[in-house]
Amino acid sequence: MTLTSFKCLIKEKCGLSFDDSREPILAAGIRTRLLRRAVSSHEEYLDLLAREPHEFDALVSLLTVNETYFLREPQHFTVLTEQLLPDIMAGKTGGRIKIVCAGCSTGEEPYSIAIMLMEKYGPAFRSMFSVIGMDIDEEALGRATAGVYAEHSFRGVPEHIRKNYFDRQDNSYRIREAVREGVEFLQLNIFGDAYPDTVRDADVIFYRNVSIYFEPAAQQHVFRNLAGLLSEKGYLFLSSTETFAHNIGILSLVEKGGVYIYSKGVEVRIEERRKPSVSPDRPAAPGLPVPAKNAAVAEKFKAMRIKDEPHTLFDKALLLAEAKKYDEALQLAERVVELQPSFIKAYMLRAGILLNLEKFGEAEAVCRCGMEYDPLCLEGNLLLGLLAKVRSDFAEARKRFKEALYVDAACWVAHFYLGEIYRFEEDEERACREFRIVIKLLEEQSSSGHGLTFLSFPFPVEQIVHLCRHNLAVRRGSGRSVD
Ligand SMILES: C[S@@+](CC[C@H](N)C(=O)[O-])C[C@H]1O[C@@H](n2cnc3c(N)ncnc32)[C@H](O)[C@@H]1O
């Protein structure tokens, strides 16, 4: 029996994947458990695995990579304590601030957070913060709870930290009770969907050096799960090598103190979006009738004295959207199309807001309604492309972005997302070609000319060239042919 059935079961249950290079780890883990359980065949053991959750956990403990150490990527802890927490505290109305480590291994990461909190707030940190470490690996969690560490967990840790927060115990170091009590541990499979309430509404999540063991679909699934756990203004840290691989449009990427972090807050710059990519009052395309619903509404308003100027209302709607007053912005934008049914930008504004609100069906309907006036509308194609991408309908998304490029070959957004789609499809050559085009275009024009009225990008637009260069470098670094 080959290992394929084991690989499928493990991938299905906890997202971990075993390519050829990691297959020996899987084979050795299975051998160990066969001996321990006195089972003689792979078939019998597979059966046992499917039946006994505890056996599954025991095998997974042998397969996970638990490499970790205190204050790994120290700049993350500085940004956390110096920039994020003061902001979060200022906006918090009550309750403790919740910091969760997803894939905390043997505990060095959550304890690093607790130590930094204790440095800043003293022992009172325990009543101000709730620090929770979760991991699938029961054995690693046992070591985390014990809190005893050998020398290799301290690489790069300043001596005063070791002296102030640990007690020597033979050749090891035991974390002091004041810190240990500030951290809770929880066994949890982050690939599953059953997250307990204790980890919901998290203000900050650390999810570092875990996704590298998942394949792309599993990475997206877990990223979505964790994004769903975040509070309205929460932040998500990945390790610096993983960060850019997750810009799949769910969270915005923001830069703080030189560190890129995902944020649930929407960041939109209105002045960049106001410039219409098509004339707002462009007439219906020749031969196209005014859509029936809008014709009726137009008729209704013909009789009214139109006091409101559609363009002024549109600007107001845009400002409201920028202020995250989405309901009011949507109502006002709707009023604009009532007054002037061919005001395509107002449809696109509504579609963009609905897309941000993850009301994908409505966003598509509104977008298509606007495109009845101009089937070649650049923004309409971009929005339909983004909607298709969110739904993982990559064939449709590709078609839409190519359509956008037919309208405007210099549209960097279309090139960028085409690159992203090729990247997901592992078509490295095409992905890199698109990223190179984006860089070239943005060397000649500003990133703000992206043609979208209202949409939050999952990355800072002014960093787009950097992001494309990073994507190219990663591909070059991985030895894949990109030139
Ligand atoms: C390399 S360690 C990362 C430790 C720490 N986050 C850091 O950056 O130093 C990866 C951890 O992810 C955990 N892990 C892997 N798959 C998991 C899953 N499906 N659910 C929860 N934890 C998982 C492993 O057990 C392992 O302890």
Side-chain angles (χ1 to χ4, degrees), residues 16 28 83 116 130 181 260 300 306 335 339 428 472:
L16 292 175
Q83 300 201 29
M116 296 315 283
S130 154
E181 281 177 1
Y260 286 96
K300 186 174 128 203
I306 300 172
R335 169 97 176 116
L339 291 171
E428 305 299 340
L472 289 172

Side-chain angles (χ1 to χ4, degrees), residues 14 16 64-69 72 102-105 109 135-137 188-191 208-210 213-214:
C14 65
L16 292 175
T64 49
V65 178
N66 298 122
E67 165 68 6
T68 182
Y69 47 93
R72 187 177 196 176
C104 67
S105 188
E109 187 178 69
D135 202 287
I136 194 170
D137 185 342
L188 192 99
N189 176 4
I190 56 171
F191 187 68
R208 307 184 309 162
N209 305 296
V210 182
Y213 305 106
F214 298 145

